[in-house]
Amino acid sequence: MTLWNGSYPFYPGANACFPFDTTRAVIVTIFLSMLATFIIILPGIPGRGQLFWFLRSVLGLFIGAVILNVQFTRDWETGWVQANTSYKSFSHVQVNADIGLHIGLAGVNVTLRGNPVEQINETINYNEHFPWNFGVDYDRSYSEGLQKGLPSPILYVAEKFSTQSPCAVHRQYRITSHYVSLTLWLAFCTWLISILLFSMSILLYGGQMLLLTATLILFSLLLFSTARNTLRCPIQFGPVSLRTDYGESFWLALATGLLCLVLGLGIIILNSLQPEKLKLIFSLDKSSEEELWDKSCLPAQPSCSAQDGLMVPLGELCHRAATQL
């Protein structure tokens, strides 16, 4: 029974925390590669346009990376508590552990980490995910956890979000998460359109699309807040209770939405009040200078070579004519 490194071969081991999220790693790698490409191109941009072009690239990639990244994160709402609790069902053995709850748009993560990790001859380090996205049955994943014999604290927390729970929060969280995800995908599309409009030098419409992106992001945060404020029964572990608060993804999305709002309003205001400065920021002033130079050399205006001919004295001009004759 102990042929596999001292573990029982017929029972699953602990689902320990993976060092990093592969989806987030892929997204960050793609956007960092794009940023590195822009940095390589940067020396080819003349003059002070380098700084403005670099700032536009960094801000644009940051906004797109955040909108896409928070779709897959699991820390929109988080909470931790340290408690002495029973480890297995129908057992009086208690362990001291940190219990974490992480709520994302795709489901719930419950973490159990012992203090210390090695207790009662076991490694207590669990991280279980219970999804509720489209095509996935939350109650089925919870039943599978029961069949695997997961520790009691994990099953106790996961049971609060099941459809059979008297807390009745499963429907609110699941439906709200679906609408939040849809709104963020719309925000990602409007961000792409704004980048396309800016590249085509259509600055006013690009600012309006950026303002629409900010509206969609802030609206998604408002939707998630309505689900979180729903009354629910407490998650109690003896004398202490597990309380949750907004996580890193929520605050990061809020900062990105406010950034889009400021940038969109700034572009619209500059376009109406000081369009020359807006063209300078987007490196469009050089073309206007070339147009002014071309206009200054038109025949209607006495400039360039024609003006040089008029500067010749009249006597010298007559002397040249007599010499030619």
Side-chain angles (χ1 to χ4, degrees), residues 183-210:
T183 307
L184 288 176
W185 279 119
L186 291 176
F188 185 75
C189 294
T190 55
W191 169 79
L192 287 176
I193 296 175
S194 68
I195 294 297
L196 180 62
L197 292 174
F198 287 141
S199 64
M200 297 171 61
S201 302
I202 309 177
L203 305 183
L204 178 60
Y205 293 145
Q208 292 175 352
M209 293 305 298
L210 201 58

Side-chain angles (χ1 to χ4, degrees), residues 192-258:
L192 287 176
I193 296 175
S194 68
I195 294 297
L196 180 62
L197 292 174
F198 287 141
S199 64
M200 297 171 61
S201 302
I202 309 177
L203 305 183
L204 178 60
Y205 293 145
Q208 292 175 352
M209 293 305 298
L210 201 58
L211 195 61
L212 180 58
T213 303
T215 304
L216 291 172
I217 295 175
L218 297 177
F219 181 70
S220 67
L221 299 178
L222 181 62
L223 284 176
F224 187 81
S225 300
T226 57
R228 184 183 179 275
N229 291 330
T230 305
L231 296 176
R232 60 180 184 270
C233 48
I235 304 175
Q236 198 76 23
F237 293 95
V240 296
S241 60
L242 176 59
R243 300 182 182 276
T244 59
D245 201 353
Y246 293 119
E248 295 179 1
S249 296
F250 182 89
W251 297 116
L252 185 59
L254 177 60
T256 305
L258 294 177

Side-chain angles (χ1 to χ4, degrees), residues 282-301:
F282 284 87
S283 303
L284 300 178
D285 57 335
K286 185 176 296 185
S287 60
S288 61
E289 289 179 359
E290 292 177 355
E291 292 177 359
L292 291 175
W293 176 258
D294 295 337
K295 290 179 180 180
S296 64
C297 295
L298 291 175
Q301 297 181 1

